[in-house]
Amino acid sequence: DRDILHVKCSPVKSLLILTESRRVALKRENTDTVTSLDVQLEKGHKFYRVECLDSMGRKALSRAVFADELDRS
């Protein structure tokens, strides 16, 4: 699964995968019940970043993971 991003976190309302130009994936619920997301990574982006948002509006962002850091061999 080299081109799949596996995200696991404590319960949040939404998980969002971002790139330099747009959102790639979103998983959202009405309450803090989201704890994972698997995303097929699209090639051609400079970086990928994960955004977590809880039901109180608190946001956490991962550091950017640049495409050249990914092992796609």
Side-chain angles (χ1 to χ4, degrees):
D1 294 351
R2 293 191 188 274
D3 288 342
I4 296 179
L5 174 65
H6 303 282
V7 178
K8 289 188 178 189
C9 64
S10 57
V12 293
K13 186 175 181 176
S14 68
L15 281 173
L16 178 63
I17 309 303
L18 304 164
T19 67
E20 70 281 356
S21 60
R22 66 184 187 96
R23 131 178 126 195
V24 176
L26 171 67
K27 184 173 183 180
R28 182 182 309 190
E29 299 292 338
N30 291 328
T31 59
D32 289 342
T33 56
V34 177
T35 58
S36 66
L37 177 63
D38 292 337
V39 177
Q40 179 76 35
L41 293 177
E42 299 174 1
K43 295 183 180 180
H45 293 290
K46 294 179 184 175
F47 68 85
Y48 304 89
R49 183 185 303 262
V50 178
E51 177 183 296
C52 304
L53 181 68
D54 71 11
S55 59
M56 295 181 67
R58 295 178 293 198
K59 185 186 300 186
L61 286 167
S62 71
R63 75 169 186 84
V65 176
F66 290 87
D68 63 353
E69 295 178 86
L70 299 174
D71 178 12
R72 288 190 162 161
S73 55

